[in-house]
Amino acid sequence: MRTLSDVPTVALLAVGHLLHFELGVAYEIFGNPPREATEGWYDVFLCGAGPVRIGPFTVEPDHGLDRALGADTVIVPACADVDEPLPRELVETVRAAHAAGARVASLCTGAFVLGAAGLLDGRRATTHWAHTDELSARHPLSEVDPDVLYTDNGSVLTAAGKAAAVDLCLHLIHLDHGAAIANSVARRLVMPPHRPGGQAQFVATPIQTTGDHKLAQLFAWAQQRLDQPLSVTDLARHANTSPRNLGRQFRSVIGQSPIQWLLTQRVRRAQELLEATDESIEAIALATGMGTATTLRRQFKRTVGVPPDSYRRAFRSARPA
């Protein structure tokens, strides 16, 4: 648990075109103390340089950006479009706040602001899986990890998309106030308890199964047969090519080997069955071509980061009794 001042301060930066979910989540979590937190909760400031567009809304920050320079924690919400130029005053504020000793955390694509401020160089980082390649390309000195919920480098933290923003906020509360308070906030949000950042982003990166690229038909064919013990030879035979040439095509189109792609599809199918059915782990192993429950548990935990039983408890789709 961190050593806190009597009233630790959190500055939420509202500059440029933002996504409302991440900003709203941070304000909800840090701005509303749980009953168990009798003292020393956060003083939250919304800081900006004037009215800001957040989704369909326009918000007037209650403090200027200079207020963030004395904050204990600075939160950078998600940018709506990573291809838009980043506001210079936002980048400079983040850089100056970190230099002044603030803990700086980005939510989703807010990581691009941290990168522009030079805070990701030599550090691990993440963002929404759809933007990790672009983040890595822009900031090659950073180790961008597309497979985690969030990263914690001490004074610089980054979260993946949407729900992972909640996880990072809960992680900060865990550091500041302990596990019991963090779990109390999670209960109020009707969220699973605090999840460790090394856990995988739960939605596997989708692979295009339609379109006109040369593997689209094979993808669709294989996904209809995931319950069968398909091999690379089977895939190559259906594609009317050699296993070696098929491997080259897979790496060219999706950057994975055929076996890696096939395993990803089996795990994704297992995720769907765990969420939407009452089938046993043994039955799901057969339905996804894993063969045995032991194999499914091993491959699922390696890919997703948690055992299938834990995944089902946390992410099961709600259905009428």
Side-chain angles (χ1 to χ4, degrees):
M1 190 183 305
R2 296 174 72 235
T3 301
L4 298 175
S5 55
D6 291 340
V7 183
T9 52
V10 174
L12 308 181
L13 302 188
V15 181
H17 186 192
L18 304 178
L19 296 177
H20 60 280
F21 178 86
E22 286 78 2
L23 181 62
V25 158
Y27 199 91
E28 163 67 25
I29 290 177
F30 294 111
N32 291 289
R35 289 192 302 270
E36 295 85 348
T38 56
E39 59 183 22
W41 196 247
Y42 304 98
D43 202 353
V44 179
F45 305 105
L46 185 62
C47 303
V52 61
R53 184 159 52 104
I54 303 175
F57 310 107
T58 298
V59 174
E60 182 74 49
D62 49 9
H63 295 273
L65 286 172
D66 57 330
R67 184 64 184 84
L69 300 183
D72 297 304
T73 299
V74 173
I75 305 291
V76 184
C79 308
D81 187 348
V82 299
D83 294 323
E84 288 184 355
L86 296 171
R88 185 178 65 179
E89 63 271 28
L90 174 61
V91 174
E92 291 177 350
T93 297
V94 168
R95 184 185 297 119
H98 183 260
R103 177 177 62 180
V104 179
S106 65
L107 308 180
C108 194
T109 50
F112 285 85
V113 178
L114 270 60
L119 302 189
L120 300 186
D121 292 352
R123 295 184 171 103
R124 290 181 68 240
T126 194
T127 187
H128 191 287
W129 56 259
H131 300 292
T132 50
D133 287 345
E134 178 64 21
L135 184 66
S136 182
R138 292 191 196 181
H139 306 288
L141 297 181
S142 173
E143 180 188 346
V144 178
D145 191 339
D147 297 322
V148 295
L149 295 174
Y150 56 85
T151 64
D152 183 349
N153 300 278
S155 63
V156 177
L157 304 93
T158 62
K162 301 303 180 186
V166 179
D167 289 302
L168 178 54
C169 291
L170 292 175
H171 172 66
L172 293 174
I173 292 175
H174 185 190
L175 293 175
D176 295 344
H177 297 281
I181 297 296
N183 288 339
S184 175
V185 175
R187 285 194 299 273
R188 188 187 77 216
L189 298 172
V190 197
M191 285 286 295
H194 165 249
R195 296 184 290 171
Q199 191 165 307
Q201 296 186 32
F202 278 100
V203 181
T205 305
I207 299 300
Q208 183 180 358
T209 57
T210 59
D212 57 1
H213 65 76
K214 54 192 173 184
L215 292 178
Q217 184 179 6
L218 178 61
F219 287 165
W221 178 85
Q223 286 184 321
Q224 294 170 3
R225 294 164 175 79
L226 292 177
D227 60 329
Q228 302 175 19
L230 296 175
S231 65
V232 176
T233 300
D234 296 326
L235 297 176
R237 185 181 298 116
H238 182 77
N240 196 27
T241 188
S242 68
R244 177 176 294 182
N245 187 52
L246 183 69
R248 287 195 291 265
Q249 292 180 32
F250 264 76
R251 283 185 287 274
S252 173
V253 172
I254 63 171
Q256 287 183 315
S257 70
I259 286 296
Q260 289 172 325
W261 177 83
L262 193 58
L263 176 60
T264 298
Q265 304 316 302
R266 296 191 193 282
V267 171
R268 290 185 67 216
R269 179 66 57 80
Q271 287 178 295
E272 295 170 0
L273 294 174
L274 288 165
E275 293 174 12
T277 75
D278 293 319
E279 295 289 340
S280 66
I281 301 300
E282 290 76 11
I284 292 176
L286 292 175
T288 57
M290 298 280 195
T292 67
T294 299
T295 300
L296 171 60
R297 287 190 171 95
R298 182 176 66 251
Q299 297 294 353
F300 194 95
K301 189 173 190 304
R302 179 180 299 168
T303 302
V304 179
V306 295
D309 310 84
S310 299
Y311 181 90
R312 169 172 269 169
R313 285 193 297 270
F315 291 92
R316 178 165 183 146
S317 299
R319 305 190 313 278

